[in-house]
């Protein structure tokens, strides 16, 4: 068998050589770009009057810039491969052959030259599925030419970092559990880890799924569903390179910190990054012409966790029943909102009854508030054709005003307020635009009303939509998503991480909204937490039937403290070497701010006390400053987090993971929402979990 270190040295030399070649290509391209730019500025005044030469120069410049950009991305990928060129190897003998072929599996394809057999195969290549799906023995994979059968004679796994071989061994299972446990047992990071070296068979089936238009993944906490979803996107970009680009994909993510946490995955896998946005931000932008500001989901959660409201009103306003009421209201507006009048403008005349007929019959399929625009265009076009001349833009604006005056109002805010009053709710405040601030429970009903009253722009450029934390989206939100996105989707979530007083399984109603051709897959094996943490978390929320990886660690520490501050005193501020990331998770924003300031102050005092010098001493101050800088606070406006101690709320920690977690909670509260919050906190911990209750 080929020596692992010897092959690695050969590969690294070849990659380094290719990087030198790419550097030369980039340098030559830069020189060509400079020459083109110099030629243009020296000669543009003498270029032909029709601009052909100018156009040709611009096209040549664009082509070279594009080529250089591709080479820069290629160099970036090669540099990543210098750090770790491959992680697996399969020796496979095809049926009918005598000698096996060796396939090294890595982050990307690499060969010595164009058209040559790869020395390393991209983890997404068809042959790479042998590594993920089979033990030694009979195996097959699907190539473009059909199913390829044979036998795996040997499988090896490698850990390479910094161009150095850390370990290698023969693997007798699909992806050896010992490798998986070793990888999961390492410290957490401020970025989500790529899983290409540890993809499990059931995960691989999801990643390589190209058949299902809508894939709904119900995954237990720590099952790797977000990683699988992102790796699936990378696979689809590789598989459908001619028809799918990164600009065709949108991720709806919970918040900006989570977006930052996952932002490096696709670039690490050799793809460009893709757009990410919270659905609340999207809604705010869509309603910005109607209201000055909107609350977000976090405002709603704060009211729920404080007990300020029960959430019953919010849930009803997001329900199927409420959507049906809105649909019925719009049907009533067909008559109530209109006051048809004759139209006269110069010599153009259209009687009210003909306008009414056009409105209710010819353009009946157009949404109510967009319909009069279609009627106007029809009438104006008729007249312009008859007289053989067009109205000016100024005249068209005046005519449009006449047509729009037949609506009693086109203000969505006012129309929604009337709807609320008619259905027994308080009206929205009658205030000027700059004072219109919409409560969260009304954001999506109003947006839904807008989309059934006005033409909504379907986002045809988005060809794949990824929705994470699917359990946090309401029926109303999914109705809106279905109106805007007619594309393929990957939808991920965990019903047991619902921020509510009951677990919500949205897969029950999704087929009625998105179509019955969706496929639901359950990921029931947890990989993130140690067995001790996973078992404890399951007990908090009553989660059953979750398979737990046999990775053990410290027992969960439970303690009831006499006060909130006493619980915070249990947080170890001095252990900066054992773990990269520690989280202090609390239930509300007010508690998070209080905890953050308390711990910052404590860090300063502790260091000054240890040094046994005055607190104003320069040495103590610098040391205390460094230690307190390791404590950071995350709120809903944060965009990233760093190593050290993170203080935040349970709802902003969703989707993230930390080496160690301190959960601080009111021990007197036992309602279901609080249990769900504690479950979310517990499942964030990789290695150590402290559950610290406090008494009032």
């Amino acid at each position: 068998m080929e020596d692992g270190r010897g092959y690695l040295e050969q590969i690294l030399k070849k990659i380094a050589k290719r990087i030198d070649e790419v550097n030369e290509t980039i340098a030559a391209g830069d020189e060509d770009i400079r020459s083109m730019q110099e030629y243009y500025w020296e000669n543009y005044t003498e270029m032909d009057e029709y601009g052909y030469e100018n156009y040709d120069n611009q096209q040549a410049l664009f082509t070279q810039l594009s080529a250089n950009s591709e080479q820069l991305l290629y160099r970036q990928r090669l540099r990543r491969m210098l750090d770790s060129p491959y992680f697996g190897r399969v020796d496979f003998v095809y049926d009918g052959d005598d000698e096996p072929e060796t396939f090294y599996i890595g982050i990307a394809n690499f060969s010595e030259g164009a058209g040559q057999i790869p020395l390393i195969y991209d983890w997404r290549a068809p042959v790479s599925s042998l590594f993920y799906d089979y033990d030694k023995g009979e195996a097959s994979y699907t190539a473009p030419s059909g199913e390829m059968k044979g036998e795996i004679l040997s499988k090896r796994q490698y850990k390479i970092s910094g161009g150095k071989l850390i370990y290698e061994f023969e693997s007798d299972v699909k992806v050896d559990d010992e490798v998986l446990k070793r990888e999961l047992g390492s410290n957490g990071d401020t970025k989500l880890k790529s899983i290409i070296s540890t993809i499990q068979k059931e995960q691989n089936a999801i990643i390589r799924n190209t058949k299902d238009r809508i894939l709904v993944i119900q995954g237990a906490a720590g099952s790797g569903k977000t990683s699988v979803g992102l790796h699936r996107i990378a696979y689809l970009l590789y598989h459908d390179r001619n028809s799918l680009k990164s600009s065709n994909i949108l991720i709806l993510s919970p918040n900006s910190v989570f977006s930052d946490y996952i932002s490096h995955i696709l670039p690490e896998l050799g793809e460009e990054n893709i757009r990410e946005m919270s659905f609340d931000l999207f809604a705010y932008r869509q309603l910005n012409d109607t209201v000055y500001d909107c609350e977000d989901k976090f405002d709603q959660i704060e009211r729920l966790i404080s007990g300020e409201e029960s959430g019953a009103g919010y849930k009803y306003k997001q329900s199927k029943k409420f959507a049906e009421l809105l649909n019925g209201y719009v049907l009533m507006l067909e008559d109530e909102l209109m006051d048809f009048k004759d139209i006269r403008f110069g010599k153009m005349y259209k009687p009210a009854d003909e306008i009414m007929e056009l409105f209710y019959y010819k353009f009946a399929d157009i949404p109510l508030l967009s319909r009069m625009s279609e009627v106007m265009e029809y009438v104006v076009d008729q007249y312009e054709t008859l007289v053989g001349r067009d109205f000016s833009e100024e005249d068209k604006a005046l005519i449009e005003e006449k047509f729009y005056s037949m609506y009693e109002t086109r203000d969505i805010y006012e129309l929604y307020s009337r709807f609320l009053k008619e259905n027994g709710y308080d009206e929205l405040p009658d205030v000027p635009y700059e004072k219109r601030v919409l409560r969260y429970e009304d954001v999506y009903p109003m947006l839904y009303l807008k989309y059934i009253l006005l033409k909504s722009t379907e986002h045809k450029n988005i060809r794949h939509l990824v929705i994470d934390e699917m359990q946090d989206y309401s029926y109303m939100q999914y109705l809106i998503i279905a109106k805007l996105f007619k594309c393929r989707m990957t939808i991920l979530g965990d019903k047991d991480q619902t921020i509510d007083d009951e677990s919500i399984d949205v897969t029950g109603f999704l087929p009625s909204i998105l179509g019955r051709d969706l496929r639901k897959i359950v990921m029931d094996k947890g990989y993130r937490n140690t067995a001790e943490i996973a078992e404890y978390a399951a007990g908090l929320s009553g989660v059953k039937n979750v398979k737990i990886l046999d990775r053990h660690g410290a027992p969960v520490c439970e303690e009831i403290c006499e006060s909130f501050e006493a619980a915070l005193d249990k947080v170890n501020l001095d252990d900066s070497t054992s773990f990269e990331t520690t989280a202090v998770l609390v239930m509300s924003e007010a508690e998070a701010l209080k905890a953050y300031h308390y711990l910052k102050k404590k860090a300063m005092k502790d260091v000054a006390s240890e040094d046994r010098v005055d607190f104003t001493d320069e040495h103590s101050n610098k040391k205390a400053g460094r230690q307190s800088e390791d404590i950071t606070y995350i709120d809903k406006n944060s965009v990233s987090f760093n190593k050290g101690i993170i203080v935040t709320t349970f709802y902003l920690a969703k989707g993230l993971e930390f080496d160690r977690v301190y959960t601080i909670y009111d021990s007197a509260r036992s309602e279901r929402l609080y249990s769900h919050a504690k479950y979310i906190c517990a499942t964030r911990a990789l290695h150590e979990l402290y559950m610290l209750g406090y008494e009032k």
Side-chain angles (χ1 to χ4, degrees), residues 15 23 38 47 69 75 82 134 147 192 201 232 310 326 335 351 371 410 419 434 485 487 519 592 624 639 655 690:
I15 294 173
N23 285 336
E38 286 176 7
M47 290 181 183
S69 179
R75 182 176 67 183
L82 268 182
Y134 293 97
E147 188 176 23
L192 185 65
K201 183 177 181 179
R232 180 173 191 240
S310 68
L326 282 165
D335 294 323
R371 199 179 305 168
R410 297 181 75 246
F419 166 78
E434 61 274 8
F485 303 99
C487 58
R519 183 182 177 196
V639 295
Y690 297 81

Side-chain angles (χ1 to χ4, degrees), residues 627-673:
Q627 187 163 334
S628 64
E629 283 173 10
D630 289 337
I631 304 172
T632 55
Y633 170 64
I634 290 179
D635 64 12
K636 64 182 182 181
N637 298 314
S638 301
V639 295
S640 63
F641 73 85
N642 304 311
K643 293 179 181 178
I645 297 173
I646 310 300
V647 182
T648 191
T649 57
F650 75 95
Y651 54 82
L652 287 173
K654 286 183 71 174
L656 308 178
E657 57 186 34
F658 306 87
D659 292 317
R660 176 173 49 196
V661 168
Y662 293 91
T663 303
I664 299 178
Y665 62 95
D666 181 350
S667 60
R669 296 186 61 174
S670 58
E671 63 266 37
R672 289 288 292 166
L673 173 59

Side-chain angles (χ1 to χ4, degrees), residues 88-287:
R89 166 180 164 166
V90 178
D91 293 343
F92 183 70
V93 59
Y94 290 95
D95 283 354
D97 288 355
D98 296 324
E99 295 296 323
E101 291 194 33
T102 296
F103 303 105
Y104 283 88
I105 315 298
I107 195 171
N109 283 319
F110 179 75
S111 59
E112 290 197 81
Q116 294 190 26
I117 295 174
L119 299 170
I120 300 171
Y121 286 82
D122 192 297
W123 66 277
R124 298 165 290 185
V127 72
S128 300
S129 63
L130 293 172
F131 177 75
Y132 297 116
D133 291 345
Y134 293 97
D135 303 335
K136 289 181 185 178
E138 290 185 2
S140 65
Y141 67 93
T142 303
S145 57
E147 188 176 23
M148 311 299 290
K149 296 182 178 181
E151 181 183 0
I152 294 177
L153 301 182
S154 173
K155 278 179 58 178
R156 296 187 74 76
Q157 291 183 252
Y158 304 88
K159 172 72 172 180
I160 300 170
S161 181
K164 303 293 184 183
L165 183 62
I166 309 302
Y167 61 76
E168 67 169 310
F169 59 85
E170 187 75 14
S171 174
D172 290 325
V173 293
K174 297 171 187 68
V175 174
D176 193 275
D177 271 357
E178 289 308 313
V179 174
L180 182 58
K181 283 188 274 189
R182 193 184 307 205
E183 290 297 309
L184 295 171
S186 62
N187 281 345
D189 202 345
T190 55
K191 300 291 184 184
L192 185 65
K193 294 176 182 176
S194 162
I195 62 169
I196 56 172
S197 62
T198 57
I199 292 171
Q200 304 295 287
K201 183 177 181 179
E202 72 275 11
Q203 295 173 332
N204 194 44
I206 297 170
I207 289 168
R208 293 174 184 262
N209 181 309
T210 59
K211 294 178 182 178
D212 295 300
R213 189 179 75 87
I214 298 177
L215 198 59
V216 180
I217 302 168
Q218 181 78 266
S223 59
K225 54 188 174 292
T226 299
S227 292
V228 167
L230 293 172
H231 285 67
R232 180 173 191 240
I233 293 303
Y235 178 79
L236 293 175
L237 286 167
Y238 176 89
H239 183 269
D240 303 325
R241 197 161 293 283
N242 293 329
S243 57
L244 186 68
K245 310 294 181 190
S246 5
S247 57
N248 302 136
I249 300 171
L250 174 66
I251 296 179
L252 294 180
S253 59
N255 53 63
S256 298
V257 172
F258 182 79
S259 295
D260 176 68
Y261 182 62
I262 66 173
S263 62
H264 69 296
I265 286 288
L266 286 166
E268 273 193 13
L269 299 176
E271 300 295 342
E272 294 179 50
N273 221 330
I274 56 182
R275 284 180 289 167
E276 298 172 46
M277 181 186 297
S278 77
F279 201 38
D280 286 351
L281 176 59
F282 174 85
Y284 166 74
R285 290 177 177 175
Q286 294 298 302
L287 289 173

Side-chain angles (χ1 to χ4, degrees), residues 519-531:
R519 183 182 177 196
K520 176 182 171 181
I521 295 177
V522 175
M523 296 177 65
D524 60 357
K525 187 169 184 179
Y527 297 100
R528 175 191 296 134
N529 318 115
T530 62

Side-chain angles (χ1 to χ4, degrees), residues 321-374:
K321 178 66 176 175
F322 204 73
E324 289 171 346
L325 288 175
L326 282 165
N327 289 330
Y329 173 65
V330 169
L331 290 176
M332 290 173 55
L333 288 177
E334 288 272 344
D335 294 323
E336 294 179 359
L337 201 61
M338 306 310 301
D339 180 18
F340 295 101
K341 304 170 187 174
D342 295 345
I343 289 289
R344 297 179 184 276
F345 191 85
K347 294 183 178 181
M348 185 181 78
Y349 170 71
K350 201 71 171 177
D353 60 339
E354 290 187 26
I355 292 172
M356 185 187 304
E357 186 171 346
L358 288 170
F359 190 86
Y360 285 127
Y361 296 101
K362 186 173 182 61
F363 297 105
D365 292 337
I366 305 297
L368 185 60
L369 294 187
S370 296
R371 199 179 305 168
M372 194 57 81
S373 178
E374 298 289 336

